[in-house]
Amino acid sequence: MTTALVNPATGRTFADVPSTSIEETDEAVARALVAQREWARRAPADRAAALRSFAGAVDAAIEELAGLEATNSGHPIGQARWEAGHVRDVLQYYAAAPERLAGAQIPVAGGLDITFHDPVGVVGVITPWNFPMTIASWAFAPALAAGNAVVLKPAEWTPLTSLRLAAIALEAGLPEHLFQVLPGLGPVVGERLVTHPDVRKVVFTGSTATGKRVMALAAEQVKQVTLELGGKSANIVFADSDLERAARTAPSGVFENAGQDCCARSRILVERSVLDRFLELLEPAVAAVAVGDPLDESTEMGPLVSRQHLSKVEGFVPAGAPVAFRGSAPSGDGFWFPPTVLLPSRTDRAFREEIFGPVVSVVPFDDEADAIGLANDSPYGLSGSIWTRDLSRAVRVSRAVESGNLSVNSHSSVRYSTPFGGFKHSGVGRELGPDAPLAFTETKNVFFAIDDAPPSTPSPSTTAPSASAPSEETT
Ligand code: ADP
């Protein structure tokens, strides 16, 4: 069986990729288990050097990886280049981990107590189609660094960069079968990774509905899971903020990657007294978003990933929807949808559900308490922004909003050196940051009992062995 890959900018099939079967998945896990044992036995400095060499090989392949992502996923070429560079940076960052993943010596009575961080073994990684290579690297880099093997299933529509990364790893000298990529179907390969007894941890990034299923299946085997799921993040704009900057940057906070971003600030909450002025400033910023051919260097937003996803997004903006204004998009072949700004009610489906497309809702609020209440009135809690010049308010609001990643006076969400993940239905666990390798280990505590009194030392006159000297055991 194969999956046809379609270029989202043209709507045309450009490649066919074989789908992995359950039997082939089992064989891959068995090979990974053998590779992992050898990898974990290697000196930490050797593992670090192998990861650095992998990072170097990714650096040399940035143009190739970016081209693949632009064709397979519709990402603007400039953004795709940044993503490939990010994969290199993530690998470089975690290449330090093999030599730094230290346990602790804990003061206890009666002995010596030490913790060790053992690799879990084989890690299953299931990735989505929105940021195929960056999200993959957030799992495979720290997992490999902590001494594990990785078996990764990319999303059906977008497997090419992950397949290429596995080949690059091998060319760079990583052991065979340590990092394998199995293209195929979620309910087949994905579920087999989740239920396979030798896969001891699963990292899943995707929809909340599938994440719940993954968590339920993993529970059968008491398997560790990290889940990075959906979002409906708030971008809260107070009247005292730099309104020009807030409005000018709002499109990048939601329309990046055509809104196919779990961190998209898809609910803009604006203090009522400045709503009209904010909309006046937002309209030209939305009109200026360059939507077009992913291979054109000036493109800022490409097409949606598939026809199926385009239909889903269109369903959120039916005829008669409260559209305030829209940007432009090419017509013709390809899965195009223009940046769209809605002025919905607080109960509107488009304001409450994750759309995962270039659609943003602007809703006014009355005061700080109302803004916090609105922001938290969502099953999700992944990301968000707060715009204000009042430091005390920034601190109060950022502490009150139930979200894993907030940004004050900016739309930044992800840095590889800081933790990333969600509250509530947005996920379980954290990726990235200095502690990520720990999430791919089992902590082992070993207590060594120590006798308080040293064994009696023989005096110098009795140390010379002689036929008549008594043996140590009898003294
Ligand atoms: P979407 O609906 O946006 O495609 P999903 O959450 O279904 O998002 O997909 C994210 C990833 O999860 C993809 O790699 C997909 O193949 C995989 N997947 C889908 N269903 C399952 C499942 N039942 N078990 C494991 N993985 C799955």
Side-chain angles (χ1 to χ4, degrees), residues 39-53 95-100 145:
W39 175 244
R41 273 197 299 268
R42 281 208 197 173
D46 287 354
R47 281 188 272 130
L51 290 170
R52 275 188 212 106
S53 152
E99 295 181 281
R100 294 199 182 157

Side-chain angles (χ1 to χ4, degrees), residues 44-91:
D46 287 354
R47 281 188 272 130
L51 290 170
R52 275 188 212 106
S53 152
F54 187 6
V58 170
D59 187 53
I62 282 183
E63 280 308 313
E64 181 195 0
L65 288 164
L68 283 177
E69 206 67 281
T71 307
N72 191 179
S73 312
H75 291 194
I77 189 73
Q79 179 195 315
R81 217 174 267 134
W82 180 90
E83 289 166 19
H86 179 81
V87 173
R88 170 206 54 212
D89 295 345
V90 170
L91 275 164

Side-chain angles (χ1 to χ4, degrees), residues 308-358:
Q308 188 183 329
H309 189 58
L310 174 63
S311 307
K312 183 187 159 209
V313 173
E314 283 169 345
F316 280 95
V317 192
V323 175
F325 43 83
R326 310 184 91 159
S328 63
S331 53
D333 294 339
F335 313 131
W336 303 103
F337 195 90
T340 299
V341 178
L342 303 178
L343 288 174
S345 75
R346 293 182 177 203
T347 55
D348 202 305
R349 193 174 150 242
F351 179 63
R352 307 195 65 82
E353 295 180 24
E354 184 178 43
I355 300 174
F356 224 59

Side-chain angles (χ1 to χ4, degrees), residues 182-437:
L182 311 182
L185 304 180
V188 179
V189 188
E191 282 212 17
R192 184 57 188 149
L193 288 177
V194 180
T195 56
H196 197 300
D198 288 336
V199 175
R200 291 310 310 153
K201 160 139 195 166
V202 169
V203 179
F204 170 85
T205 307
S207 63
T208 296
T210 307
K212 286 178 184 174
R213 173 152 182 80
V214 165
M215 195 172 187
L217 288 171
E220 288 297 316
Q221 294 180 21
V222 196
K223 187 173 293 191
Q224 284 192 41
V225 288
T226 296
L227 304 176
E228 207 268 273
L229 310 175
K232 190 75 186 175
S233 297
N235 175 9
I236 309 174
V237 182
F238 286 97
D240 70 358
S241 67
D242 178 345
L243 214 57
E244 277 82 10
R245 215 170 121 228
R248 198 178 62 244
T249 59
S252 72
V254 60
F255 300 141
E256 199 165 285
N257 205 31
Q260 303 165 124
D261 179 351
C262 42
C263 291
R265 276 74 166 161
S266 52
R267 296 183 297 156
I268 305 183
L269 314 179
V270 184
E271 194 158 358
R272 199 178 296 278
S273 59
V274 293
L275 177 66
D276 290 345
R277 176 73 188 129
F278 181 82
L279 289 169
E280 265 171 40
L281 292 164
L282 182 63
E283 187 164 5
V286 170
V289 177
V291 184
D293 179 3
L295 294 175
D296 184 329
E297 294 286 344
S298 63
T299 293
E300 294 170 311
M301 188 182 121
L304 294 176
V305 72
S306 68
R307 193 176 304 285
Q308 188 183 329
H309 189 58
L310 174 63
S311 307
K312 183 187 159 209
V313 173
E314 283 169 345
F316 280 95
V317 192
V323 175
F325 43 83
R326 310 184 91 159
S328 63
S331 53
D333 294 339
F335 313 131
W336 303 103
F337 195 90
T340 299
V341 178
L342 303 178
L343 288 174
S345 75
R346 293 182 177 203
T347 55
D348 202 305
R349 193 174 150 242
F351 179 63
R352 307 195 65 82
E353 295 180 24
E354 184 178 43
I355 300 174
F356 224 59
V359 182
V360 68
S361 295
V362 180
V363 163
F365 66 84
D366 295 315
D367 54 25
E368 190 177 307
D370 190 28
I372 293 167
L374 256 183
N376 288 341
D377 184 18
S378 168
Y380 299 112
L382 188 56
S383 197
S385 297
I386 299 157
W387 291 83
T388 178
R389 285 190 170 104
D390 178 339
L391 179 60
S392 299
R393 167 175 278 159
V395 172
R396 278 194 308 270
V397 177
S398 59
R399 298 302 304 273
V401 172
E402 297 158 353
S403 173
N405 295 82
L406 289 165
S407 191
V408 175
N409 296 331
S410 97
H411 294 301
S412 108
S413 293
V414 175
R415 266 163 262 94
Y416 56 78
S417 54
T418 59
F420 175 73
F423 282 31
K424 304 193 282 188
H425 289 214
S426 286
V428 173
R430 294 292 178 270
E431 299 191 275
L432 298 175
D435 295 336

